Amino acid sequence: MKAWLVHDWCTPDDMQWADLPLPQPGPGQVRVKVAAAALNFLDTLMIGGRYQERPPLPFAPGVELSGTVDAVGGDTDLALGERVCGLVSYGAFAEYACVDAADLSRVPAAVDLPTAAALPVVYGTAHHALLERGRLEPGQTLLVLAAAGGVGLATVQLGKALGLNVLAAAGGADKCALARQHGAAQAFDSTAPDWVEQVKAATGGRGVDAVLDPVGGDYTAAALRLLAVGGRLLIVGFAAGAIPQIPANRLLLKELSAVGVVWGPWRRQNRTAAAAQMASLFELWQKNAIAPLVSQRRPLREAPAAIADLGARRTTGKILLIPGADQ
Ligand SMILES: NC(=O)c1ccc[n+]([C@@H]2O[C@H](COP(=O)([O-])OP(=O)(O)OC[C@H]3O[C@@H](n4cnc5c(N)ncnc54)[C@H](OP(=O)(O)O)[C@@H]3O)[C@@H](O)[C@H]2O)c1
């Protein structure tokens, strides 16, 4: 089979397009014939050895996929031919991948199989942030930073579906328009020097009940300024690279909470709740209350260019890599 390989920590351009033997599933695993692999921000880090988990070299990157079960390793109730989507530690940027059955969800017949690869990470994270960690209630106001990105756009959609008043901040007019199309009541261009004042004014000076922050850096200080008394900062990631320091006096003065959100480990430690989360997300999708935005479907062969685009903030929503599309 064809797969992308990282032989040594590198940039996307230095990955190698390799021929590998078909992987064999172990106990509790199935082999998935990949319909689509979805890109995630962590791919940009893992390839360079800058992610917290470093796979043994050489490895095929990619952590999120959909496809059909092609071989079964035993100790699982998944059967040959079933349609699935889910997570692997690495190895999704390939034509086939062996996956722990516990990390897969069945894809309903009405859902497009490649698009299902775009669901688990960003909507799972959004759900975990807004409900399990943020405990947001209908009618509350949420500000989503980097609102046109993968996690951001999923959170805008899910926030709207949950009855929140969603405000969005994103870099540029096009990204703001996209956030509005996907459910934001108002969107603010975060490249404008006065965007924080604009958001504050839009809330009548009160501020927002929660901020979803996948960016970090200077955005986190802005988020603290924009929170209303008793508000929650939902810390999701540091796409800007810099890990912000949070001044404790800011938390004290407005009785704010800074809340960490990390979906992957939560999912592994709470299998039943995580399965219920995926079921509820598929249900919302089938009611059109959420709809993953796939802004690009590219042949698997184009993974290096696609990953570079994601790292340079040139992408919106989710990007899919399709095996066999160029062969
Ligand atoms: N905690 C969790 O469980 C969890 C789960 C999934 C992802 N994450 C993290 O969440 C973050 C976002 O992931 P994603 O998949 O949504 O990524 P994404 O689609 O690439 O979106 C990231 C966005 O961040 C903004 N950004 C600001 N400064 C940036 C910079 N210097 N470089 C790149 N982007 C910058 C950009 O939006 P603008 O142009 O609009 O500013 C960009 O589109 C990542 O840090 C990821 O690791 C965390």
Side-chain angles (χ1 to χ4, degrees):
M1 69 163 186
K2 287 289 187 187
W4 282 102
L5 274 191
V6 171
H7 281 278
D8 200 356
W9 309 119
C10 65
T11 62
D13 275 348
D14 294 326
M15 298 191 306
Q16 289 176 15
W17 183 236
D19 281 303
L20 297 180
L22 266 190
Q24 298 305 321
Q29 288 193 322
V30 297
R31 186 172 65 214
V32 175
K33 183 175 192 303
V34 177
L39 256 56
N40 283 283
F41 194 84
L42 69 83
D43 299 320
T44 67
L45 306 174
M46 194 184 271
I47 289 165
R50 289 178 287 119
Y51 189 59
Q52 60 249 35
E53 286 155 36
R54 294 172 122 215
L57 295 166
F59 72 98
V63 300
E64 191 175 31
L65 52 72
S66 64
T68 46
V69 175
D70 167 76
V72 177
D75 292 337
T76 160
D77 60 356
L78 285 174
L80 288 178
E82 286 205 86
R83 292 155 33 101
V84 291
C85 67
L87 279 297
V88 275
S89 302
Y90 53 90
F93 296 166
E95 289 179 306
Y96 294 83
C98 287
V99 189
D100 290 342
D103 289 328
L104 291 169
S105 305
R106 289 184 173 90
V107 175
V111 165
D112 175 65
L113 185 60
T115 309
L119 182 84
V121 172
V122 294
Y123 288 89
T125 302
H127 190 284
H128 188 45
L130 298 186
L131 294 175
E132 287 88 23
R133 302 295 291 141
R135 301 191 180 283
L136 285 162
E137 307 267 349
Q140 290 189 307
T141 300
L142 167 74
L143 172 65
V144 179
L145 304 182
V151 174
L153 207 60
T155 309
V156 168
Q157 288 184 4
L158 187 63
K160 172 89 196 261
L162 295 171
L164 304 178
N165 174 33
V166 180
L167 307 183
D174 290 349
K175 288 185 176 185
C176 286
L178 190 71
R180 278 193 298 271
Q181 281 160 26
H182 285 262
Q186 294 180 72
F188 301 86
D189 182 350
S190 53
T191 63
D194 64 342
W195 75 272
V196 176
E197 288 71 27
Q198 290 180 33
V199 177
K200 192 91 182 198
T203 64
R206 172 185 177 269
V208 298
D209 297 300
V211 178
L212 181 115
D213 182 6
V215 186
D218 295 339
Y219 287 75
T220 304
L224 291 173
R225 284 178 57 199
L226 287 170
L227 281 167
V229 171
R232 273 144 292 168
L233 173 66
L234 305 172
I235 303 167
V236 170
F238 310 110
I243 297 178
Q245 300 296 309
I246 295 179
N249 62 325
R250 287 278 178 155
L251 302 185
L252 182 147
L253 287 170
K254 288 200 282 181
E255 295 200 320
L256 304 178
S257 307
V259 180
V261 177
V262 61
W263 177 69
W266 173 85
R267 178 183 63 84
R268 285 190 289 273
Q269 286 152 21
N270 298 277
R271 292 287 188 191
T272 308
Q277 190 190 59
M278 280 300 126
S280 125
L281 289 169
F282 273 123
E283 209 177 302
L284 287 170
W285 188 353
Q286 289 175 94
K287 288 184 193 157
N288 291 322
I290 61 170
L293 174 75
V294 174
S295 61
Q296 296 179 36
R297 287 173 193 242
R298 301 175 74 151
L300 176 61
R301 191 80 166 84
E302 293 181 13
I307 298 166
D309 281 351
L310 185 104
R313 63 206 280 192
R314 288 191 289 265
T315 61
T316 52
K318 291 288 276 185
I319 312 301
L320 297 184
L321 299 173
I322 312 293
D326 59 339
Q327 287 153 6

